[in-house]
Amino acid sequence: MQQEIRANNKTVSYYLDTLGRVTLRRATGEADSTYLYDNVAYGYGQMYQESNGSLTRTTSFNSLGQPLTTTETLGGDSHSVTQLYDANYGRVLGELLIQPKDGR
């Protein structure tokens, strides 16, 4: 665990896994933030999910380990952003935003 105490007496603690990656962030007066790694296809040790109270962000990866789709869920609403890559060099071409059917 690593810890910092800020000037306003707010304590922020970071809990690490055996590879030194932050798995939990706990701060005075805030919801805990959790970070998950490795348990996703083609993730190659990358963080695939972060969660903080009612917000969850989940990422999937393509066979080259590049971020493919990131879905953010807040309460019951969610939206996704998909990265588009070129076939030759894997360069980012753009992003595709997928919104819920009700347009929120």
Side-chain angles (χ1 to χ4, degrees):
M1 178 183 67
Q2 296 179 358
Q3 191 173 57
E4 62 185 55
I5 300 174
R6 297 185 178 168
N8 61 358
N9 278 340
K10 184 179 201 175
T11 301
V12 181
S13 302
Y14 300 94
Y15 296 84
L16 311 174
D17 65 10
T18 56
L19 297 176
R21 302 173 298 191
V22 175
T23 57
L24 174 66
R25 178 187 180 273
R26 181 167 284 156
T28 306
E30 297 179 14
D32 289 350
S33 297
T34 58
Y35 307 93
L36 302 177
Y37 303 85
D38 299 328
N39 196 18
V40 64
Y42 306 116
Y44 304 117
Q46 300 182 69
M47 180 175 60
Y48 73 92
Q49 187 176 75
E50 60 182 304
S51 186
N52 178 348
S54 59
L55 174 66
T56 300
R57 179 178 296 122
T58 304
T59 302
S60 64
F61 301 89
N62 66 18
S63 61
L64 299 175
Q66 298 167 307
L68 186 59
T69 300
T70 300
T71 302
E72 292 184 347
T73 304
L74 178 61
D77 297 328
S78 67
H79 71 274
S80 298
V81 175
T82 298
Q83 295 280 346
L84 306 173
Y85 299 95
D86 75 6
N88 294 322
Y89 301 105
R91 297 173 292 198
V92 175
L93 292 174
E95 295 181 336
L96 177 63
L97 174 64
I98 303 169
Q99 293 185 319
K101 291 180 181 177
D102 62 6
R104 288 190 277 165

